[in-house]
Amino acid sequence: MNKIDVIIVGSGIAALQLAYKLSNHKHVMIITKGQVKDSNSFMAQGGIAAAIAKTDSPQQHFHDTMTAGEGHGNEYRVNDLVEEGKKVIEELIDAGAPFDLEADGSLSLGVEGAHRVPRILHSGGDQTGKKLVNFLLESLQASDHITWMENVMVMDLILNRDGKCIGIKAKNSNEELLEFYAPHVVLASGGAGGLFTQSSNHPTILGDGIALAYRAGASVGDLEFLQFHPTLLSANGKTVGLISEAVRGAGAILVNDRGERIMEGIHDQQDLGPRHVVAHEIFKQVTSGKYVFLDITTIHNFKKRFPSISQLCKAHHVDLSKGKIPVLPGSHFMMGGVVTDRWGCTSIKGLYAIGEVACSGVHGANRLASNSLLEGFVYGSRLSMFLLKTKVEEYPKDFVPAPDNKNPLETLPFTRKELQEKLTHYVGIIRNNDSLQHHFAWLNSFSIDPFANIDQCRRADIQTYFMWINSVLMTQSALIRTESRGGHIRSDFPNKDYKRWLRKSIIHYRKK
């Protein structure tokens, strides 16, 4: 039994920030089923939001976040996010993080959807995630308290007889079963956007953390709230990569193949309206037989300002000289996940969740653009403070696994592709009771045990199994919420249920 203080599952911004904050104090193991840079964080083109401008304030950032979340956000958690987010970004600036600057040396601040003022910091134009991940990785290189485990898939959480999480089971690329024990296990594995056929997510992001927590008995919530990004690059009817919201922030407008502006008269912020509003309008245009484009003719030096996007377009034979980029909406971000408190603690002792895998309450029903990287930094820092103050039992006391009496998982009667196609069709941008009930019945027609023993299963089968678990949970959640709010749109319940919203209808900003 290797002595490890903290096991972190995942390697995005939240995971790396936590590891960085703990690296001088505890032995940390970072486990990822692919390579360290296989994360949505690394792929993030957009920036990171923080109220650091003189004309901005945490109060305004709070208001925009709560408004985008359509009243479903937790006021206290959002307050923590915007207050501490400002401090975390200032710490990064002081540490030399490579944020873009204006010609006069001041920070370059952009505007994105549903932000009322410019507050988006970028790095490398549209390479913010890549630059910040590399910055944290470089900061961690000097630490001898970090153990890296790549190509290792976590397949189960280990609990003791008291129901405390004491470790993980995993399989390496050779299908060998591994076990690691620690008093603290942190899920930072990302969301579940890859469950859909059209997605901006890294292909490894398939809801593993949510399935792991659910199988262990942890509370999960708000899984019906999935954000579809309005503008993914469209090539031959498929989405092949993200076109950052920063492009619209720089002046691009959405038009259809008739040259009509599709967001005119739809929202007071037009092309920079909340993501679910814009995605819905594009969806309606496409389903009516029209094509939608980003008109970038007003953006000067596009290739210099957006090098990654330009390269993506070139790779898929989109001629930028024509000034139009074909786009489609696709799954992007989960607002729900493993339910946590203000520090990142789950309902299971010894188990924590941070980043997109967590239902932290900061995003409500729809995430405000560029708050995701901010959440990763803030909760990585918050959880580090909690863990550094938490006393644990000495090894090996309490590190005796509970007996496993589960039945083995039987052969799955569907493929990964089939799950993705059906979830996209029945639980996509627009939902209704009939489609949800049909899909829920299909998912449950196979009598699969969501708590089966999977020790002898191969990694590929475990992955498909986790996808099925997430599909069941997401579909059930969408059935339960009989209203339309944020990323959850039901054609049979098109309006918000204000009785549900009553507790959230008065928004208060609480300054510390």
Side-chain angles (χ1 to χ4, degrees):
M1 181 170 60
N2 298 321
K3 181 176 179 180
I4 307 163
D5 296 316
V6 182
I7 294 172
I8 303 176
V9 183
S11 58
I13 286 291
L16 297 178
Q17 173 75 345
L18 175 60
Y20 173 70
K21 292 289 186 177
L22 295 177
S23 58
N24 292 328
H25 309 280
K26 293 184 179 292
H27 180 195
V28 178
M29 175 181 281
I30 298 177
I31 301 178
T32 176
K33 68 180 177 183
Q35 302 297 309
V36 168
K37 296 181 181 181
D38 290 345
S39 68
N40 282 346
S41 293
F42 190 81
M43 295 171 60
Q45 296 173 349
I48 181 166
I52 61 172
K54 292 181 180 179
T55 55
D56 198 4
S57 68
Q59 183 173 4
Q60 293 183 76
H61 192 183
F62 171 90
H63 179 270
D64 289 348
T65 300
M66 290 296 295
T67 301
E70 296 214 323
H72 193 67
N74 182 302
E75 297 171 17
Y76 298 96
R77 309 282 177 81
V78 174
N79 189 83
D80 288 340
L81 179 75
V82 298
E83 286 280 357
E84 295 179 26
K86 181 177 184 292
K87 297 174 184 177
V88 167
I89 297 308
E90 289 171 343
E91 288 178 4
L92 284 169
I93 294 170
D94 291 341
F99 291 115
D100 294 342
L101 305 175
E102 298 288 358
D104 62 1
S106 62
L107 285 166
S108 179
L109 299 176
V111 64
E112 293 182 3
H115 289 271
R116 299 285 171 169
V117 297
R119 65 166 65 96
I120 315 301
L121 296 91
H122 292 92
S123 184
D126 57 2
Q127 303 175 79
T128 307
K130 176 182 178 180
K131 295 284 187 179
L132 292 179
V133 166
N134 285 335
F135 177 77
L136 287 174
L137 288 174
E138 289 171 8
S139 302
L140 287 168
Q141 281 181 349
S143 175
D144 56 2
H145 290 108
I146 307 293
T147 299
W148 303 90
M149 300 288 288
E150 293 183 306
N151 296 311
V152 174
M153 179 182 183
V154 178
M155 50 178 284
D156 240 339
L157 301 176
I158 302 174
L159 308 182
N160 68 7
R161 292 179 182 272
D162 296 328
K164 177 183 177 182
C165 185
I166 57 172
I168 59 99
K169 289 183 181 180
K171 286 202 169 184
N172 60 20
S173 56
N174 295 323
E175 304 289 349
E176 295 170 322
L177 183 63
L178 309 173
E179 292 186 4
F180 298 100
Y181 293 84
H184 306 295
V185 176
V186 183
L187 299 175
S189 52
L195 293 175
F196 295 81
T197 55
Q198 313 279 47
S199 175
S200 66
N201 285 209
H202 190 278
T204 62
I205 307 300
L206 297 162
D208 292 18
I210 296 170
L212 289 168
Y214 177 75
R215 279 170 51 82
S219 298
V220 298
D222 284 356
L223 299 179
E224 69 273 26
F225 294 122
L226 180 82
Q227 184 180 87
F228 287 82
H229 197 287
T231 54
L232 274 60
L233 178 63
S234 173
N236 299 317
K238 296 182 179 180
T239 55
V240 291
L242 182 67
I243 305 296
S244 171
E245 197 152 10
V247 174
R248 279 174 284 141
I253 59 174
L254 288 160
V255 298
N256 60 25
D257 49 5
R258 299 177 184 177
E260 300 166 331
R261 292 193 61 172
I262 70 169
M263 291 305 298
E264 203 163 43
I266 301 299
H267 191 272
D268 60 354
Q269 289 182 275
Q270 297 190 31
D271 300 274
L272 287 174
R275 286 179 173 174
H276 68 287
V277 176
V278 182
H280 189 191
E281 286 306 310
I282 296 175
F283 178 81
K284 288 194 290 186
Q285 292 279 326
V286 172
T287 52
S288 68
K290 299 172 186 174
Y291 294 92
V292 176
F293 303 87
L294 269 174
D295 185 332
I296 60 170
T297 53
T298 61
I299 303 177
H300 301 293
N301 299 319
F302 183 89
K303 293 182 180 180
K304 183 177 180 180
R305 295 181 68 175
F306 301 103
S308 294
I309 294 172
S310 298
Q311 187 60 39
L312 177 68
C313 289
K314 181 180 179 181
H316 292 281
H317 311 292
V318 175
D319 186 356
L320 293 177
S321 66
K322 295 181 179 179
K324 290 185 178 180
I325 300 175
V327 294
L328 285 171
S331 63
H332 186 58
F333 191 91
M334 288 196 70
M335 278 67 77
V338 185
V339 177
T340 64
D341 67 6
R342 65 195 301 258
W343 299 103
C345 303
T346 73
S347 58
I348 293 179
K349 187 176 181 181
L351 180 66
Y352 313 85
I354 54 175
E356 191 178 350
V357 71
C359 180
S360 63
V362 300
H363 301 307
N366 183 43
R367 174 176 66 83
L368 181 66
S370 288
N371 267 0
S372 55
L373 293 180
L374 186 70
E375 179 192 19
F377 276 111
V378 168
Y379 275 86
S381 296
R382 289 187 69 81
L383 183 55
S384 72
M385 292 188 288
F386 180 86
L387 295 182
L388 289 173
K389 293 179 180 178
T390 302
K391 294 182 179 180
V392 298
E393 298 290 342
E394 293 295 324
Y395 298 87
K397 188 177 179 181
D398 285 346
F399 280 77
V400 179
D404 190 344
N405 300 317
K406 302 170 185 174
N407 294 320
L409 178 68
E410 298 179 0
T411 303
L412 296 172
F414 43 70
T415 64
R416 169 175 167 168
K417 182 180 179 182
E418 189 175 10
L419 282 173
Q420 290 172 314
E421 289 176 345
K422 286 186 176 292
L423 192 69
T424 301
H425 181 75
Y426 294 108
V427 198
I429 295 178
I430 310 297
R431 305 153 177 183
N432 61 60
N433 183 73
D434 290 344
S435 66
L436 292 170
Q437 290 285 8
H438 178 87
H439 190 54
F440 194 60
W442 179 80
L443 289 167
N444 286 286
S445 66
F446 306 108
S447 300
I448 300 170
D449 181 2
F451 305 102
N453 184 307
I454 54 177
D455 287 2
Q456 303 306 313
C457 296
R458 298 181 63 82
R459 283 176 49 148
D461 293 329
I462 294 171
Q463 186 67 84
T464 305
Y465 177 57
F466 282 176
M467 291 173 67
W468 172 82
I469 291 173
N470 277 282
S471 297
V472 172
L473 294 174
M474 190 180 295
T475 306
Q476 186 174 16
S477 298
L479 275 167
I480 292 171
R481 184 166 290 278
T482 52
E483 63 164 352
S484 289
R485 187 184 299 279
H488 174 66
I489 302 173
R490 286 190 55 163
S491 59
D492 49 347
F493 291 97
N495 300 316
K496 297 179 183 66
D497 183 345
Y498 286 93
K499 291 181 180 179
R500 289 176 180 266
W501 201 10
L502 186 61
R503 186 174 62 85
K504 301 288 185 183
S505 60
I506 302 175
I507 299 173
H508 298 288
Y509 170 77
R510 295 173 173 83
K511 188 173 182 179
K512 296 179 181 176

